[in-house]
C-alpha cells in the first residue's frame, strides 16, 4: 500500500508577488519614496494586473507601501513619528510578553531561544546581514509566541511589516550586530532565571537602545 504525502498547495500569485516585493523593499531594490506601477510589475512577472493590485493592497495594509490621494503608490519612507509610535507599542507589548514567557516557557522553548542565539552568532561571524536580521526577528517572534497569549501575538503581528523593515535598517552602526546579540543574551538569561521583572527590564533596555540607533539612522536619511 502506497503512503501518499499530502500535496502542497502553491501560494496564490498575489501572495508570491507580495513576498517578492517585500523582499525587494527590505533589500533596497526599491528605496524609500520610489514610485511603483502596477503595469510595470505585471510585465516584470508576466502576469495580469489583478494579482499585482492585490499584492500592493496587502503591502499598503502592512505599511510598507503608501497610496496618496491620487492613488499613486510609493515605498514607505521611515519617519521619526512612526518610529516612535511603533517602538512605544513594541516596548509595551513585548515587555509584557517576556514577563509571561519567563513564567510559562518550557525547557524545550528555552532551548529553541538558545539555538536562535547560536545561529545569530554564526551569522555575525560569517557577516551574513540577511541571516542576522532573520535571526533577530525570529528571537523576538519566539519571545511573543512562547508567552502563550494569542491576543498579544495578533497585536504584534499587525506591526510586523514595519518592524522588520526597521530591523533591516537598524543593523547599521558601529558594532551594532554584537550589541543586538548581547541584548538578546541578556533577555535570555533573565528568562532562564525565571525572573519576569528582570526579563521585562532587559527587553525595555534593548528595545530603547534599538530606538536610539534607529533615530540616528533616520535623521541621517532626512539630511
Amino acid at each position: 500500500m502506497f503512503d501518499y504525502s499530502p500535496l502542497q498547495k502553491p501560494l496564490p500569485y498575489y501572495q508570491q508577488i507580495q513576498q517578492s516585493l517585500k523582499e525587494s523593499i527590505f533589500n533596497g531594490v526599491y528605496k524609500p519614496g520610489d514610485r511603483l506601477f502596477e503595469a510595470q510589475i505585471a510585465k516584470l512577472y508576466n502576469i495580469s494586473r489583478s494579482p499585482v493590485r492585490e499584492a500592493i493592497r496587502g503591502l499598503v495594509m502592512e505599511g510598507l507601501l503608501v497610496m496618496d490621494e491620487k492613488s499613486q503608490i510609493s515605498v514607505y519612507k521611515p519617519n521619526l513619528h512612526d518610529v516612535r509610535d511603533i517602538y512605544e507599542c513594541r516596548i509595551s507589548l513585548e515587555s509584557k510578553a517576556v514577563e509571561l514567557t519567563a513564567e510559562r516557557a518550557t525547557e524545550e522553548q528555552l532551548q529553541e531561544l538558545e539555538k536562535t542565539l547560536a545561529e545569530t552568532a554564526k551569522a555575525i561571524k560569517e557577516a551574513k546581514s540577511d541571516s542576522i536580521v532573520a535571526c533577530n526577528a525570529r528571537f523576538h517572534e519566539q519571545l511573543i509566541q512562547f508567552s502563550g497569549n494569542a491576543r498579544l501575538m495578533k497585536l504584534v503581528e499587525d506591526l510586523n511589516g514595519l518592524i522588520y523593515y526597521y530591523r533591516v535598517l537598524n543593523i547599521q552602526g558601529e558594532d551594532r550586530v554584537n550589541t543586538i546579540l548581547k541584548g538578546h543574551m541578556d533577555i535570555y538569561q533573565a528568562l532562564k532565571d525565571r525572573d519576569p521583572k528582570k526579563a521585562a527590564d532587559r527587553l525595555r533596555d534593548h528595545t530603547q537602545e534599538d530606538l536610539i540607533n534607529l533615530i540616528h539612522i533616520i535623521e541621517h536619511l532626512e539630511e
Side-chain angles (χ1 to χ4, degrees), residues 11 20 22 29-30 35-36 39-40 47 54 63-64 68-71 74 86 117 122 125 131 137 153 182 186 193 221:
L11 287 174
S20 180
K22 189 183 296 187
V29 176
Y30 297 125
R35 286 277 309 280
L36 268 63
Q40 289 182 354
I47 56 173
E54 190 68 22
L64 291 170
D68 65 17
E69 64 280 358
K70 296 180 181 179
S71 297
S74 61
I86 287 175
L117 292 174
K122 182 174 183 288
K125 185 176 181 180
S131 296
M153 283 185 263
K182 183 183 182 304
D186 289 344
D193 293 341
L221 292 173

Side-chain angles (χ1 to χ4, degrees), residues 72-89:
Q72 295 177 337
I73 303 297
S74 61
V75 177
Y76 167 75
K77 187 174 182 179
N79 62 78
L80 295 179
H81 179 77
D82 284 350
V83 166
R84 289 193 174 100
D85 280 357
I86 287 175
Y87 268 77
E88 284 175 0
C89 293

Side-chain angles (χ1 to χ4, degrees), residues 153-194:
M153 283 185 263
K154 179 64 171 64
L155 290 170
V156 176
E157 185 181 332
D158 290 342
L159 302 172
N160 272 343
L162 288 180
I163 288 174
Y164 199 94
Y165 192 21
Y166 294 155
R167 287 193 176 114
V168 172
L169 295 174
N170 220 349
I171 63 170
Q172 301 175 43
E174 186 176 354
D175 207 32
R176 273 297 299 160
V177 291
N178 285 306
T179 299
I180 291 168
L181 177 58
K182 183 183 182 304
H184 289 184
M185 292 176 70
D186 289 344
I187 295 167
Y188 170 73
Q189 187 58 53
L191 294 174
K192 196 173 180 183
D193 293 341
R194 300 294 181 176

Side-chain angles (χ1 to χ4, degrees), residues 31-118:
K31 301 186 183 304
D34 281 357
R35 286 277 309 280
L36 268 63
F37 301 90
E38 282 184 15
Q40 289 182 354
I41 296 170
K43 184 177 181 181
L44 178 66
Y45 290 100
N46 194 29
I47 56 173
S48 71
R49 293 173 64 169
S50 180
V52 173
R53 189 174 301 116
E54 190 68 22
I56 287 174
R57 186 179 296 116
L59 291 173
V60 169
M61 290 180 65
E62 287 190 52
L64 291 170
L65 295 179
V66 178
M67 180 182 294
D68 65 17
E69 64 280 358
K70 296 180 181 179
S71 297
Q72 295 177 337
I73 303 297
S74 61
V75 177
Y76 167 75
K77 187 174 182 179
N79 62 78
L80 295 179
H81 179 77
D82 284 350
V83 166
R84 289 193 174 100
D85 280 357
I86 287 175
Y87 268 77
E88 284 175 0
C89 293
R90 276 195 63 193
I91 290 171
S92 178
L93 294 170
E94 291 189 34
S95 60
K96 182 58 182 178
V98 295
E99 286 182 0
L100 296 173
T101 297
E103 296 169 355
R104 299 174 178 176
T106 65
E107 290 303 312
E108 290 77 13
Q109 288 172 332
L110 291 178
Q111 288 172 11
E112 287 186 48
L113 286 167
E114 189 172 1
K115 180 181 177 183
T116 299
L117 292 174

Side-chain angles (χ1 to χ4, degrees), residues 93-94 97 140-148 152-153 156:
L93 294 170
E94 291 189 34
H140 283 272
E141 287 164 3
Q142 287 171 327
L143 294 180
I144 304 295
Q145 179 186 349
F146 298 159
S147 74
L152 197 156
M153 283 185 263
V156 176

